[in-house]
Amino acid sequence: MKAINIKNKHAQFKKQWHPHRIATVDNMQVLLAKLQGEFVWHSHDDEDELFQVTKGTLYMQFRDRTAIVKEGEIIVVPKGVEHNPTTKNNEEVHVLLFEKLSTSHTGNIKDDKTQTVYPEL
């Protein structure tokens, strides 16, 4: 048991849209990711997702609106809600994600950005 420095962990990788696991809490995982541009429209049938923005501004698109999530803020996407994380103006956004171990990266959607293995940091 020791403290985890999120900023230092983010500095250990460059690849965008590729989450890295930094901790496990019961059946939940804590992931870090770097995001830039547009992701993939998807949903998770059985899992909620929590996004915390640690750097930049995230635009969480929903079919009926877009939520703006600023540095230091969180957003919870409820299970079954279709969403698409996006950034603007070529900004790289850093996020911490908290989700069940069973959560598939892009839900039932398969895309070039879909990851099936999350490296440990």
Side-chain angles (χ1 to χ4, degrees), residues 44-91:
H44 307 279
D45 293 338
D46 300 312
E47 300 96 1
D48 299 333
E49 281 186 297
L50 180 147
F51 292 76
Q52 178 185 7
V53 177
T54 60
K55 178 183 172 190
T57 301
L58 176 67
Y59 296 84
M60 186 63 74
Q61 296 180 60
F62 300 103
R63 289 299 182 183
D64 62 343
R65 66 185 176 88
T66 298
I68 299 171
V69 189
K70 298 178 183 175
E71 190 170 312
E73 296 180 336
I74 67 169
I75 187 167
V76 176
V77 179
K79 62 182 129 225
V81 174
E82 196 173 17
H83 60 288
N84 184 17
T86 303
T87 71
K88 293 187 177 181
N89 302 320
N90 209 32
E91 178 182 34

Side-chain angles (χ1 to χ4, degrees), residues 14-117:
K14 294 185 189 289
K15 194 168 184 181
Q16 296 166 344
W17 303 109
H18 194 274
H20 289 71
R21 186 177 298 131
I22 61 167
T24 303
V25 182
D26 290 330
N27 69 337
M28 306 291 287
Q29 57 189 343
V30 182
L31 304 167
L32 295 181
K34 294 179 178 181
L35 318 178
Q36 187 174 38
E38 189 167 340
F39 193 48
V40 177
W41 280 100
H42 68 286
S43 63
H44 307 279
D45 293 338
D46 300 312
E47 300 96 1
D48 299 333
E49 281 186 297
L50 180 147
F51 292 76
Q52 178 185 7
V53 177
T54 60
K55 178 183 172 190
T57 301
L58 176 67
Y59 296 84
M60 186 63 74
Q61 296 180 60
F62 300 103
R63 289 299 182 183
D64 62 343
R65 66 185 176 88
T66 298
I68 299 171
V69 189
K70 298 178 183 175
E71 190 170 312
E73 296 180 336
I74 67 169
I75 187 167
V76 176
V77 179
K79 62 182 129 225
V81 174
E82 196 173 17
H83 60 288
N84 184 17
T86 303
T87 71
K88 293 187 177 181
N89 302 320
N90 209 32
E91 178 182 34
E92 182 177 80
V93 174
H94 295 186
V95 296
L96 178 146
L97 299 113
F98 191 67
E99 61 190 27
K100 289 181 181 178
L101 288 166
S102 61
T103 304
S104 174
H105 191 221
T106 53
N108 293 329
I109 303 297
K110 299 299 178 216
D111 184 86
D112 290 341
K113 292 181 181 172
T114 302
Q115 301 299 313
T116 56
V117 176

